[in-house]
Amino acid sequence: MPTDVKIKKGLKLNLKGEATETFEQGENTKTVALRPANFYSLVPKMVLKEGAKLKAGDEVFFSKYSAKTRVVSPVSGTLKEVRRGAKRKILDVIIEADETQVYKDFGVMDPLKSDSTEVKDRIFSTGLGIFLNQRPYNIPANADDTPKAIYISAYNTAPLTGSAEFILKARVEFFQAGINALTKLTGGKVYLGVDKQSASFLKDIENVEILNISGPHPAGNLGTLIHETEPMNRGERVWTVNPEDVAIIGEQFKTGKYNAQRTVAVTGTSAKNRKYFKTIAGAEVKSILKDFEDNSRIISGNVLTGEKVEADGYLNFFANELTVIPEGNEFRMFGWIPFIDNNIHSMSKTSLSWLFPKRKYEVNTNINGEERALVVTGEMEEVMPLDIFPMQLIKACMAGDIEKMESLGIYEVVPEDFALIDYTNTSKIEAQSIIRGGLDIMLTEVG
């Protein structure tokens, strides 16, 4: 029996620049990058040296603090370069891809006919474990843990995001196999969040608890689903997985191949060819983004939580979006006067946009002001559906007060839960960054 997850607090952002639901094969990427920064808190220890030949699925590095957390190559080719920063910190591992891909054969396995230990060993020994994230802290899952539940959200309510339903429609068989494997990793439930209004094939997926999501963003956030079903307490663990990564796990079980195919929706008003491109995790940006306007910002991910990348850079390993929007380095004349610019979105009703809730808006990177020494009471709570006190939690994080962070619910949140606060708060504070800092303190001091 499906469970309804209905959210009232939040904000539905209608932005221009959505991708049309058309697939296009991206240009073959010449190189891919494995960036340890994409696997938060992972300190890499290299297995291979520069110049080594490898197949898709060969191990490249593992976590210094957990040898079972492995990262494998998404392509076959040559390990071209290990880029290092200060104190020899590894920044990028660049792999030059072969024209014809060669895959390591892991063999076929039916997870439903295997015991949980075999399935877990298979997932973590072959590098699939890197797709599992742990809450709290939003870090790679520890193979020695057993989560109380596993969550997948196939309904992303953030603006300008790719549709999981569209991405997965040709990979349903692999998605189901991935779900079957995940059921072996937990003694609890595997939850799958879907759009309540959709008649999606995802509602027919077996061995999951369906969550029918409705309401404005962040209704589809994993943090919201966890909070509404099995809230986190100290010492508990849940794991989360992206929908397309479930299909990658399933394909490896059914075919024995590690096929890190990534479907990326190119969105944003500055991108001229807005479609879904099929490429490889960690591919070159230029392999799918050919034509965009000057003076634009390229974001790997969505406009609220993505990271800035360069046109000659690489995609985030997990991102299903590449968003291109104008740089906001031009300022509005008398922009501080209400109702001067009624073509911009305003949650605080300082423009007439609130009279047209279905209108779509074009955004840029301008935050319209600098950080201010004031906090408007109740403003953050309007876009926070979780039963927490966001302003007090942010203050506790800034003060590094562990006891208060615990009592205010730090274990339940990750930075993306505060993305709307970044967008709407008049203080202009970087709430996501502050929460990440608080989580880092908890990870270091409490673990």
Side-chain angles (χ1 to χ4, degrees), residues 295-330:
N295 194 31
S296 299
R297 181 174 298 186
I298 305 171
I299 301 166
S300 187
N302 68 59
V303 287
L304 294 177
T305 61
E307 61 169 330
K308 180 183 177 183
V309 295
E310 303 298 331
D312 59 352
Y314 294 89
L315 301 172
N316 183 296
F317 188 81
F318 296 101
N320 283 115
E321 301 88 21
L322 187 69
T323 311
V324 191
I325 59 174
E327 279 289 0
N329 45 15
E330 294 181 359

Side-chain angles (χ1 to χ4, degrees), residues 41-77:
S41 82
L42 187 149
V43 179
K45 200 166 179 61
M46 293 297 298
V47 174
L48 302 173
K49 294 182 179 179
E50 290 180 357
K53 297 286 186 183
L54 69 175
K55 296 178 181 177
D58 278 340
E59 185 177 356
V60 179
F61 57 80
F62 60 91
S63 170
K64 180 179 179 181
Y65 302 110
S66 175
K68 294 178 181 176
T69 304
R70 298 166 176 158
V71 178
V72 301
S73 175
V75 293
S76 65

Side-chain angles (χ1 to χ4, degrees), residues 180-219:
N180 294 343
L182 294 178
T183 60
K184 296 288 184 174
L185 302 182
T186 175
K189 296 178 180 177
V190 176
Y191 291 97
L192 174 63
V194 299
D195 181 2
K196 183 178 181 179
Q197 304 301 323
S198 169
S200 169
F201 62 86
L202 292 171
K203 293 183 178 179
D204 298 325
I205 295 295
E206 299 175 349
N207 302 324
V208 292
E209 177 93 4
I210 296 291
L211 302 177
N212 283 321
I213 304 169
S214 60
H217 185 65

Side-chain angles (χ1 to χ4, degrees), residues 145-185:
D145 287 338
T146 299
K148 70 170 185 174
I150 297 177
Y151 287 81
I152 307 148
S153 176
Y155 180 40
N156 195 338
T157 48
L160 301 182
T161 52
S163 163
E165 184 180 339
F166 181 69
I167 290 171
L168 293 173
K169 71 177 183 179
R171 307 184 75 189
V172 182
E173 185 184 7
F174 295 143
F175 186 73
Q176 180 64 68
I179 292 288
N180 294 343
L182 294 178
T183 60
K184 296 288 184 174
L185 302 182

Side-chain angles (χ1 to χ4, degrees), residues 29 31-33 279-288 313-316:
T29 183
T31 58
V32 299
T279 183
I280 294 291
E284 295 169 335
V285 170
K286 61 187 177 186
S287 67
I288 61 170
Y314 294 89
L315 301 172
N316 183 296

Side-chain angles (χ1 to χ4, degrees), residues 360-431:
K360 291 189 175 183
Y361 298 90
E362 181 176 352
V363 293
N364 57 37
T365 62
N366 196 331
I367 62 172
N368 297 310
E370 70 288 341
E371 191 170 319
R372 296 156 187 167
L374 61 89
V375 177
V376 178
T377 303
E379 188 180 58
M380 296 181 183
E381 285 78 1
E382 288 184 34
V383 293
M384 173 56 71
L386 309 188
D387 187 19
I388 62 172
F389 296 105
M391 184 174 69
Q392 288 82 351
L393 180 55
I394 287 172
K395 286 181 179 178
C397 289
M398 293 173 76
D401 189 327
I402 292 174
E403 193 173 326
K404 278 193 174 178
M405 283 192 277
E406 280 189 327
S407 63
L408 290 167
I410 188 71
Y411 295 123
E412 287 207 76
V413 301
V414 295
E416 72 169 5
D417 297 321
F418 285 71
L420 279 178
I421 291 176
D422 270 357
Y423 176 76
T424 60
N425 85 88
T426 48
S427 309
K428 310 294 181 185
I429 59 171
E430 300 285 349

